Amino acid sequence: MRLVSFDDGRIGAVREALGGPEVVELSDLVGGRGPWPPTAMLRFIAGFGELAHAAREALERAPGVALTEVVLEAPVPWPNKLVAFPTNYEDHIKEMRSSNRADRNGFFLKAASSLCGPGVPIELPNVAATREVHHEAELGVVLGRTGRNIRAEDAMAHVFGYMCLLDMTVRGAGERGMRKSFDTFTPSGPVLVTADEVADPSNLEIDLWVNGEPRQHANTAGLILGIPEMVELVSSVCTIYPGDVIATGTPGGVGPVGAGDEVVMEITGLDTLSMFVVQGESGRNVALDAKDEVRP
Ligand code: MN
């Protein structure tokens, strides 16, 4: 199933139709989209075992609206956690001349409020001109079941699905969790594809282009910590909940983006995430101004 969040907290699934892809709304399966905060997708993921049948029936019978008529949001707009792994591909470690490695440093957290969908542009903060904002194309993993101390051999049963994810980053000095947490700094989607439709998540091609120019190309076979090992590591520290998102790390080829750029990324079977970049008017702060030497 190819799930989407759209139009202010509604959830749905995408199907192919004669006139192009359509969205069938599934919000009613979880009691409606509900009031703020937008948790309909969390309830759908948590209840998927019981809800999948009704969702598939709706996909066959219920009316849909053209995908082009809706505003797509982050597939999971309100996770309990947005976890991210740094330095999880050898070529990215080399290009950053980093002494870090995912299997030695573990994970960090991004603000979940940095998640967005393709319905809004990436907004660059107005940080000093000496700072670069880089794209990092990553496989996004969405967890499906509550768990703690999950062993790697059991981990895949906790994975709900996959999506394209961009881990946008202000380079240079300063805490990573701050530099990567600006609003719109984690574009994701356009769809969340359930695990049953992804034959081998350890063999997916990741590509990213800026203005049509290829910048990143890799296969998830190159992950230092694979998905089972990441789930084991994260759940050794914190309880994982349905809808938690793991940004699995970027391969080599990261680089700067500027206002007016179009960033396009694809992962095998997960559709195309296209984002425009605009210049914002806020975001500068005393910490980011303090030092601006470029460093991972
Ligand atoms: Mn990253």
Side-chain angles (χ1 to χ4, degrees):
M1 215 174 295
R2 311 176 83 75
L3 300 166
V4 291
S5 290
F6 66 101
D7 293 359
D8 207 8
R10 299 172 193 277
I11 62 169
V14 178
R15 72 177 170 210
E16 293 306 319
L18 278 178
E22 288 180 347
V23 178
V24 175
E25 186 168 2
L26 300 175
S27 309
D28 284 348
L29 292 182
V30 292
R33 62 179 162 165
W36 181 91
T39 54
M41 185 63 84
L42 296 184
R43 284 178 272 132
F44 185 79
I45 292 170
F48 189 67
E50 291 101 58
L51 298 171
H53 180 70
R56 291 201 175 92
E57 295 238 303
L59 266 175
E60 284 189 12
R61 300 206 180 99
V65 299
L67 186 59
T68 52
E69 295 296 308
V70 306
V71 177
L72 289 176
E73 297 163 351
V76 187
W78 202 261
N80 179 264
K81 284 180 287 303
L82 170 53
V83 175
F85 279 84
T87 51
N88 204 13
Y89 288 87
E90 296 287 359
D91 57 349
H92 180 56
I93 292 174
K94 282 204 186 83
E95 73 182 351
M96 302 307 289
R97 295 189 194 88
S98 178
S99 55
N100 297 340
R101 245 178 91 101
D103 55 357
R104 289 199 298 265
N105 293 78
F107 62 88
F108 63 94
L109 295 170
K110 294 186 77 165
S113 48
S114 67
L115 285 160
C116 71
V120 297
I122 296 168
E123 187 177 315
L124 301 175
N126 63 344
V127 290
T130 48
R131 294 269 186 175
E132 291 183 345
V133 177
H134 281 198
H135 55 80
E136 296 189 353
E138 308 193 7
L139 172 67
V141 174
V142 176
L143 300 166
R145 287 165 46 192
T146 300
R148 181 81 204 278
N149 298 319
I150 299 158
R151 295 175 306 172
E153 56 264 40
D154 303 324
M156 296 310 282
H158 289 262
V159 173
F160 178 80
Y162 304 93
M163 59 187 182
C164 296
L165 183 148
L166 282 164
D167 174 19
M168 302 303 298
T169 304
V170 174
R171 292 289 179 216
E175 291 292 345
R176 181 159 43 200
M178 174 181 67
R179 292 185 286 107
K180 290 171 172 278
S181 283
F182 287 96
D183 286 0
T184 75
F185 262 32
T186 314
S188 58
V191 291
L192 164 58
V193 179
T194 50
D196 59 295
E197 293 193 14
V198 178
D200 184 1
S202 65
N203 182 24
L204 301 175
E205 299 285 326
I206 301 178
D207 286 281
L208 179 139
W209 300 261
V210 177
N211 303 326
E213 178 192 326
R215 290 272 190 93
Q216 294 189 270
H217 173 72
N219 189 292
T220 54
L223 284 165
I224 293 170
L225 284 178
I227 296 164
E229 290 75 28
M230 284 188 264
V231 172
E232 179 175 273
L233 197 155
V234 173
S235 72
S236 75
V237 177
C238 35
T239 300
I240 60 172
Y241 293 102
D244 280 1
V245 176
I246 301 178
T248 54
T250 193
V254 302
V257 297
D261 284 349
E262 186 184 20
V263 181
V264 174
M265 80 168 282
E266 286 182 1
I267 299 180
T268 315
L270 304 185
D271 292 359
T272 302
L273 175 62
S274 300
M275 300 294 301
F276 283 101
V277 180
V278 300
Q279 181 61 55
E281 293 176 352
S282 64
R284 196 154 183 171
N285 66 46
V286 62
L288 288 169
D289 278 348
K291 285 180 178 173
D292 57 10
E293 79 270 21
V294 173
R295 191 181 83 175

